[in-house]
Amino acid sequence: MSVRPILTAPDPRLKAVSTDVGAVDDEIRRLIDDMADSMYAADGIGLAAVQIGVPKRVIVMDLDQKSGKKNPRAFVDPKITWASEETATFEEGCLSVPEIWESVDRPARIKCEYLDRDGKVQLLEADGLLATCLQHEMDHLEGVLFIDHISKLKRSMALRKLSKAKRLKETG
Ligand code: NI
């Protein structure tokens, strides 16, 4: 298990459309473990494989870790099979868009199908933070960032702030 560096916008590799895994083998389980380590090291609650430069449809998430106990969940080849018309708004952030937080509207409830780390098909009905987080991470698999959901003006302000922070980090 190892912590891998997380790509940040506007890195073009974040725009890659991830490919299906198909079958969960030991290599994918190693990827899941590295992703969980990388997510915890960066103090995040979710991570898609493409964020560490591996364009495969794998997501890890842990919404409980703020409470101190680690309970990482893996979602392989996730698909949304149903989404509510009702929407919910959350302030979203992203390890690939550090220090930027913006409100995003998304379907409030979803049904989703995925493979777990044992390769078993799982069905999940989600609402609240879990529904938002899953949709945010699944966007990464299509090369979409949460800032792609906000206005152009807000997006360019966010990217400017980000590149300024990057420059400061490189010089400081
Ligand atoms: Ni993200």
Side-chain angles (χ1 to χ4, degrees):
M1 303 214 282
S2 53
V3 172
R4 305 220 218 150
I6 294 171
L7 307 178
T8 54
D11 192 309
R13 287 172 289 177
L14 289 167
K15 300 245 181 223
V17 175
S18 296
T19 55
D20 274 328
V21 169
V24 181
D25 56 14
D26 285 344
E27 191 196 324
I28 294 297
R29 276 186 281 272
R30 267 197 300 277
L31 173 64
I32 288 169
D33 292 341
D34 281 0
M35 286 169 64
D37 285 352
S38 308
M39 174 181 76
Y40 290 127
D43 209 14
I45 57 173
L47 189 74
V50 71
Q51 292 179 272
I52 56 167
V54 180
K56 290 184 179 170
R57 301 183 90 81
V58 180
I59 290 166
V60 295
M61 205 176 289
D62 189 347
L63 304 184
D64 302 323
Q65 62 149 319
K66 301 276 178 205
S67 66
K69 47 180 193 286
K70 287 179 180 171
N71 179 28
R73 296 173 75 173
F75 301 86
V76 177
D77 292 349
K79 281 172 197 71
I80 292 176
T81 57
W82 175 83
S84 66
E85 275 179 32
E86 180 203 341
T87 59
T89 308
F90 278 87
E91 281 264 291
E92 294 188 24
C94 179
L95 294 175
S96 292
V97 192
E99 323 230 348
I100 308 286
W101 299 86
E102 291 289 347
S103 295
V104 180
D105 294 327
R106 298 183 187 273
R109 282 171 296 130
I110 56 164
K111 286 182 185 168
C112 137
E113 191 182 306
Y114 63 96
L115 304 175
D116 64 17
R117 78 174 272 134
D118 298 318
K120 287 204 188 90
V121 177
Q122 300 285 348
L123 302 173
L124 176 73
E125 190 164 353
D127 62 6
L129 182 61
L130 179 59
T132 285
C133 211
L134 273 168
Q135 291 173 81
H136 173 120
E137 298 308 332
M138 283 165 79
D139 270 355
H140 277 298
L141 307 182
E142 308 303 330
V144 172
L145 298 173
F146 80 97
I147 51 171
D148 295 325
H149 290 287
I150 63 180
S151 72
K152 256 191 189 159
L153 179 66
K154 278 188 178 171
R155 180 162 60 246
S156 60
M157 278 166 57
L159 286 169
R160 253 203 318 275
K161 191 175 159 195
L162 193 62
S163 71
K164 207 170 148 190
K166 267 192 195 176
R167 272 202 309 277
L168 281 174
K169 217 166 127 189
E170 276 158 19
T171 54

